[in-house]
Amino acid sequence: MPLVVCALLDNAEMAGDQKIRVEALEIMSDILDQQGVLSNREVLEPVFPGIVSTLARIALAAQLPKSTKMLDNYKKPSSLVRSLAVKALGVGITVVYGAALPESAASQGVNEYDGWADRAKNEIESVVLQDSSSHGRAEEDNDGSNSDNSQEDNKRRLLQILWRLAGLRHSEYPSLVNALLDMFTSVVFGCPALQSTPCLKVALETGLVISMLNPSSGSAAAAASQDFLSQLAQQFASSKGPVRKQIVAIIESSQMLFEQYIAGGSDEQRRDVLCLLAGSLRVAGQSDAKALVSSWWSARGLRALLGALNISLPGTSLLIADVDGSSEGNARDVPYVLDGFRSAELMRALEEFVGRIAAVFSPSGLCAQLLVLLEGNGDSALHVPALWMLGQVAPMAAGSRSPAGIAQPVFEYAVDRIAAGDQASDRTLQKCMALQAVSSVVPSVGPAVAYCMDTLLFPLLQISVSDTPLLRAQAQRSLQILSETVQSASISLMLKDNIDYIVDGCSRQLRSVELYPSVFSILSGAVKLVGSDILVYMDDVVEETLDVCEQTMDEESIALGALGFLETVSGAIAQSVGAEKMLQHEKTPVGKAEDDPVGQVLARLDEMEARSGMDTLFDIPSDDEDSNETKPADDDQLATSVENPNVSLGVALPGHPLAIKIALVVQHLLSAESSSQQLIALKIVQNIVHALVNTKDLLPLLNQIWPPLVHRLSKNHDQFYVAAAACDVIDVVCELGEDWMRRRVKDDLWVHFARILRETSVSGAFTASERLLVCRVLGTLATVVQRVALDDNTSWELSCLAIRFVGNLATKNDALRLLRHMVPAYGDKIWLVLAKLGKTTIDPSTIPCLPGIPAASLAVPVDICQTLGL
């Protein structure tokens, strides 16, 4: 029989064909099985040490001893071969150690193991935290003939082999891991002779780690894991034997190891210690587990875990994160990352541990612990991970008797975090975690969350228009979950259902706006999320906001908040009247304004100016700074009146009432002392010009805003961003009123545009402000030349100045775009300028001089003529 065993082991280990190895190991398992010829302990025990050594080498895929021949032909075993080796080893261990020892022998056995167990103590404290290479290797004689086959030595060798095999628990081959779990299940439940030895601890720890990382359901591996944990739980609850003692010992030792390794250990160490604690607490049951870990968890364990959690959004700054913040239906979860838990297995272990701790203390109890820590701990470093954990634990309360009792304190704390004014990045992340906690707990509360709207809705609307994209995305995600929970089809419908509450609450806050400066963010959030449909409910709050603008212009923060809300409203108005759709129409070539219905209307209005002496609501009283801005020329006297709807000017409808109300107030702010107020006022005017398309109120507005608008271009040195915003408005006016713009380009705009282009040096590097303004002016001129016919002098000078900027990389693209639009109407002038510069074949002396542009200072690319098609 030993010869048969040796032949099988030789073929299993050294055969070149993997199929032969598989067959050899299957035969080995069969003869070791209950009906096999080696299924008798007395027969197997003499040859078992050699069998164990060989099967362990196969399972570990270790290199053969140097004395073995045929090393050149040796091939490492496949994962299937290794799995069968582990299976055969488990069967053999059960045969040798499966029979319970007699009581006297058992007592002797305990004494017998005391000596070598003590010697092994320093080698094997915990299977999950040791490196096999640091503790020596088991003796690997192929046949075990030179080893001491005493019972003590055999079991000590078995302990070492089991410990080394435990290192396969994280193998990439599932079949090998599952075979390992089956083997250690046999050691724990099928080998009474090993119950009082350290082998039990190795088997328990390895089995717990594998069981917690296996899928929870739906596979044979999941069934094996659940069976292992269930049997352990039964033995733990039914007796005070070795299994219970070892589980208690694992829990107690893992607490210290948890603190040591959770933040500073390797991924494998952290994963294993989390699985050990989670698995052993599950086996112990709630009452026993709580008694074992309660004092440690509240004193040190919770803080140790939170200290190891570092929440981030990888690769992106929190303040400029480019995340999806869609307001309707498809808002996605923000992809937060735990920096130290990026692997799937490590994250799974963390989730299992947190879930088990929540089961031990109950979700409400763990939430209470986290809230106490958050409210009473001054260490802000723990706040973000604590809020993250709160978001993970709160949904577990869905099945509790009073989920609202858990949700309410979470809501209250989350709202406090959301309302914090500090915009530092760590505070930003705290707010995001608070919002995520809200999103997590709302579904567990269900439709009853409608009673918490007064707590939730205003803060979420405020954050939904935050300057930080990450906050906006998370707030809108929270609003979407809230709308789904209250059974609304969308965020907008939920807000419409609560519009009375929103409007009334904001109206009360507007009466004491100094105490509630965030009211404008709340209103802006509502308008942006609902759209133009909400405007019918906004008359009162808009009028109150306009009153705030007039009364608090000197209070910068309040005035800017009010203007920000008015900008949102004006944008919604423009969208509601379809101005954007109109701007998508095909542009009319220069000289074809008679085909443009808008141009016809504006031209007709312009012609009637001289025949009309009526006043307009768009009168601005003069001020000291811009008194010359508010006195239009005689030929530009205002022609129509929004007060007199009976005047027929060929336009069907008056302007949107809210747009008129906003325009009457905001036009004053175009000349405000604050450049920030000017900037927002220009954006509002741009929106209102869109909104008043095809109305009789457009021309009065254009005439009234034109002087202060042009004056903004004169301050380009210290307020370049305001001048750039003024160019945006001029773009819109050119799009909508070609004839009206024709003489204003020559008389009003060109003097400022030419000055800006002449004063900017094309040699050397631009400053950021110079580049922004020059590129914006070139872009506006590209719109102008497409819409407005220029006189000869203006077009000639523009050709000279535009070509001047082609030689600078910072402005080349914008200059070429302008020149391309000029070619159809002014190609001859561009050609002459290029000829003067020596870029085309012509006598430069026959061409007029280029005003203020020495040819030697230019660096126009040689291929510019080809680029422009000349």
Side-chain angles (χ1 to χ4, degrees):
M1 184 58 63
L3 294 177
V4 175
V5 173
C6 290
L8 289 173
L9 293 177
D10 287 343
N11 280 281
E13 186 173 19
M14 296 185 295
D17 191 341
Q18 299 289 343
K19 293 181 179 180
I20 296 177
R21 292 183 173 188
V22 170
E23 292 178 2
L25 288 169
E26 288 177 345
I27 295 173
M28 177 63 70
S29 296
D30 291 338
I31 65 175
L32 290 172
D33 206 352
Q34 293 180 356
Q35 305 300 324
V37 294
L38 292 180
S39 60
N40 185 281
R41 176 183 175 185
E42 287 75 14
V43 176
L44 178 61
E45 192 168 17
V47 295
F48 190 61
I51 294 175
V52 170
S53 297
T54 303
L55 293 177
R57 279 201 303 270
I58 297 173
L60 294 168
Q63 196 60 265
L64 291 174
K66 294 181 179 179
S67 59
T68 305
K69 299 179 180 180
M70 300 174 62
L71 283 178
D72 294 338
N73 298 325
Y74 175 77
K75 295 181 180 179
K76 285 192 176 182
S78 65
S79 59
L80 177 59
V81 171
R82 297 171 68 189
S83 302
L84 291 173
V86 173
K87 177 184 176 182
L89 183 58
V91 175
I93 292 173
T94 305
V95 171
V96 175
Y97 300 102
L101 295 174
E103 184 175 353
S104 59
S107 61
Q108 293 175 5
V110 173
N111 295 330
E112 176 187 0
Y113 291 128
D114 286 344
W116 65 265
D118 289 339
R119 293 195 301 272
K121 184 176 181 181
N122 293 329
E123 292 185 1
I124 307 173
E125 291 183 359
S126 172
V127 67
V128 301
L129 299 174
Q130 303 298 325
D131 180 6
S132 60
S133 64
S134 64
H135 296 285
R137 304 172 65 90
E139 297 179 15
E140 296 181 346
D141 294 324
N142 189 38
D143 57 1
S145 59
N146 296 324
S147 62
D148 183 2
N149 287 327
S150 67
Q151 187 178 40
E152 177 182 349
D153 188 70
N154 288 342
K155 291 178 180 177
R156 187 170 186 271
R157 177 176 298 181
L158 177 63
L159 173 63
Q160 292 177 321
I161 288 176
L162 290 179
W163 173 69
R164 293 185 62 200
L165 288 172
L168 301 175
R169 64 192 177 277
H170 299 307
S171 171
E172 59 182 321
Y173 303 110
S175 61
L176 181 57
V177 175
N178 295 333
L180 198 67
L181 178 59
D182 292 339
M183 184 191 72
F184 282 118
T185 300
S186 300
V187 172
V188 174
F189 304 113
C191 298
L194 298 178
Q195 290 281 300
S196 299
T197 71
C199 294
L200 178 64
K201 182 178 182 180
V202 175
L204 283 173
E205 291 186 352
T206 308
L208 287 172
V209 171
I210 295 175
S211 297
M212 297 310 296
L213 291 178
N214 267 342
S216 57
S217 62
S219 66
S225 298
Q226 296 303 316
D227 183 60
F228 178 78
L229 294 172
S230 298
Q231 290 187 62
L232 275 183
Q234 291 175 6
Q235 287 204 14
F236 185 90
S238 61
S239 68
K240 296 183 179 180
V243 171
R244 183 183 179 92
K245 292 179 181 178
Q246 284 292 352
I247 293 294
V248 172
I250 289 173
I251 293 175
E252 292 176 347
S253 61
S254 296
Q255 294 173 12
M256 178 186 66
L257 297 173
F258 180 89
E259 297 177 46
Q260 180 179 355
Y261 290 108
I262 190 62
S266 66
D267 284 358
E268 289 77 12
Q269 289 171 327
R270 288 184 293 152
R271 177 175 56 199
D272 289 340
V273 77
L274 287 168
C275 289
L276 271 182
L277 270 174
S280 55
L281 291 176
R282 175 175 172 176
V283 168
Q286 183 179 9
S287 58
D288 288 328
K290 188 173 183 178
L292 289 167
V293 300
S294 181
S295 59
W296 165 77
W297 175 254
S298 58
R300 302 187 307 277
L302 178 58
R303 292 173 183 270
L305 177 62
L306 296 179
L309 302 179
N310 183 24
I311 317 294
S312 70
L313 192 68
T316 311
S317 168
L318 290 174
L319 300 181
I320 58 173
D322 183 16
V323 293
D324 182 16
S326 176
S327 62
E328 288 296 339
N330 59 349
R332 298 180 297 182
D333 289 324
V334 178
Y336 302 110
V337 170
L338 294 175
D339 281 340
F341 297 83
R342 299 201 177 203
S343 70
E345 281 194 350
L346 191 52
M347 192 63 195
R348 169 76 186 280
L350 177 64
E351 291 171 353
E352 289 287 349
F353 175 73
V354 172
R356 186 46 45 190
I357 288 291
V360 169
F361 294 99
S362 79
S364 57
L366 186 52
C367 284
Q369 291 179 12
L370 290 167
L371 288 173
V372 168
L373 185 144
L374 285 165
E375 293 171 351
N377 193 297
D379 186 3
S380 60
L382 295 180
H383 288 181
V384 170
L387 284 167
W388 175 85
M389 190 170 175
L390 196 64
Q392 307 303 306
V393 174
M396 301 176 188
S400 63
R401 295 180 179 179
S402 57
I406 300 173
Q408 191 62 38
V410 174
F411 287 162
E412 291 175 358
Y413 183 82
V415 169
D416 290 342
R417 289 296 90 207
I418 293 170
D422 190 353
Q423 294 298 320
S425 61
D426 60 336
R427 297 292 184 184
T428 298
L429 196 51
Q430 281 189 36
K431 291 183 181 180
C432 288
M433 292 296 102
L435 289 166
Q436 190 180 50
V438 168
S439 301
S440 300
V441 78
V442 161
S444 67
V445 180
V449 76
Y451 297 104
C452 303
M453 282 293 187
D454 57 339
T455 308
L456 282 175
L457 202 52
F458 276 17
L460 292 179
L461 288 174
Q462 176 186 348
I463 298 298
S464 69
V465 292
S466 168
D467 292 334
T468 305
L470 183 62
L471 279 174
R472 288 201 304 271
Q474 185 63 68
Q476 291 175 12
R477 175 62 177 162
S478 299
L479 283 168
Q480 179 182 330
I481 293 175
L482 183 61
S483 68
E484 293 170 356
T485 304
V486 298
Q487 300 177 353
S488 289
S490 64
I491 297 175
S492 61
L493 289 177
M494 178 188 68
L495 295 178
K496 287 180 183 178
D497 292 340
N498 293 274
I499 193 64
D500 291 341
Y501 158 68
I502 295 173
V503 172
D504 291 345
C506 290
S507 293
R508 288 193 297 270
Q509 292 189 12
L510 282 170
R511 298 186 191 108
S512 304
V513 69
E514 296 83 1
L515 301 177
Y516 304 101
S518 63
V519 63
F520 301 115
S521 297
I522 297 169
L523 289 168
S524 296
V527 173
K528 287 185 176 181
L529 291 169
V530 176
S532 58
D533 291 346
I534 202 174
L535 296 177
V536 295
Y537 307 102
M538 287 290 175
D539 282 346
D540 292 340
V541 292
V542 169
E543 290 183 359
E544 291 172 355
T545 302
L546 292 172
D547 292 339
V548 170
C549 283
E550 293 179 326
Q551 297 168 7
T552 62
M553 287 182 61
D554 295 335
E555 299 181 24
E556 184 77 352
S557 60
I558 295 178
L560 292 179
L563 287 173
F565 168 55
L566 294 177
E567 180 188 353
T568 303
V569 171
S570 63
I573 295 172
Q575 184 180 9
S576 68
V577 299
E580 292 185 359
K581 181 178 180 181
M582 183 174 182
L583 289 179
Q584 293 174 359
H585 289 175
E586 183 178 354
K587 295 181 178 180
T588 305
V590 174
K592 298 294 184 180
E594 64 274 8
D595 298 330
D596 178 17
V598 178
Q600 293 177 16
V601 170
L602 292 177
R604 184 173 179 183
L605 291 174
D606 219 1
E607 292 172 0
M608 296 184 64
E609 289 179 348
R611 302 195 300 272
S612 175
M614 290 186 286
D615 295 330
T616 176
L617 290 179
F618 292 106
D619 284 335
I620 304 177
S622 61
D623 51 49
D624 295 336
E625 178 185 356
D626 293 316
S627 60
N628 60 327
E629 302 176 14
T630 58
K631 297 178 181 179
D634 293 339
D635 59 348
D636 285 337
Q637 291 298 317
L638 305 181
T640 61
S641 173
V642 295
E643 294 178 327
N644 190 353
N646 296 322
V647 178
S648 176
L649 298 176
V651 182
L653 298 173
H656 194 289
L658 280 181
I660 301 300
K661 293 177 183 178
I662 295 172
L664 291 172
V665 173
V666 172
Q667 61 183 347
H668 298 274
L669 299 178
L670 292 175
S671 302
E673 295 182 0
S674 168
S675 59
S676 298
Q677 293 182 22
Q678 291 179 23
L679 190 63
I680 302 178
L682 285 167
K683 294 178 181 178
I684 295 173
V685 166
Q686 182 178 348
N687 289 333
I688 292 177
V689 170
H690 279 301
L692 296 182
V693 172
N694 283 339
T695 71
K696 63 182 181 181
D697 301 311
L698 178 59
L699 183 62
L701 173 64
L702 294 180
N703 278 311
Q704 200 65 30
I705 67 170
W706 188 251
L709 177 63
V710 173
H711 191 68
R712 302 284 70 79
L713 298 174
S714 67
K715 297 185 176 182
N716 61 289
H717 291 295
D718 54 346
Q719 297 179 0
F720 65 92
Y721 44 89
V722 176
C727 289
D728 292 337
V729 181
I730 293 170
D731 273 352
V732 176
V733 175
C734 285
E735 295 275 2
L736 301 178
E738 299 172 5
D739 288 345
W740 188 88
M741 282 290 296
R742 184 168 289 117
R743 74 165 174 260
R744 290 168 177 81
V745 171
K746 176 183 177 182
D747 297 341
D748 300 332
L749 294 180
W750 179 242
V751 61
H752 296 292
F753 286 160
R755 174 183 52 80
I756 292 172
L757 296 178
R758 286 196 189 98
E759 290 177 353
T760 304
S761 172
V762 296
S763 60
F766 282 142
T767 64
S769 59
E770 287 176 336
R771 181 185 182 281
L772 171 67
L773 185 56
V774 168
C775 291
R776 195 64 201 86
V777 168
L778 292 173
T780 299
L781 286 170
T783 302
V784 169
V785 298
Q786 293 177 83
R787 296 291 185 173
V788 180
L790 304 179
D791 63 89
D792 286 342
N793 289 335
T794 302
S795 60
W796 170 253
E797 192 171 2
L798 177 57
S799 300
C800 297
L801 291 172
I803 290 176
R804 180 171 178 254
F805 287 94
V806 174
N808 192 296
L809 292 177
T811 55
K812 177 180 178 180
N813 291 335
D814 294 279
L816 283 175
R817 176 174 172 269
L818 169 59
L819 290 171
R820 289 191 189 100
H821 288 305
M822 291 179 65
V823 165
Y826 314 107
D828 55 342
K829 294 181 175 60
I830 297 175
W831 183 80
L832 286 174
V833 173
L834 292 173
K836 184 72 175 180
L837 295 173
K839 303 301 178 183
T840 60
T841 305
I842 195 172
D843 183 4
S845 62
T846 63
I847 305 174
C849 64
L850 305 181
I853 306 177
S857 66
L858 297 178
V860 180
V862 176
D863 60 346
I864 188 171
C865 296
Q866 181 180 359
T867 302
L868 297 173
L870 296 175

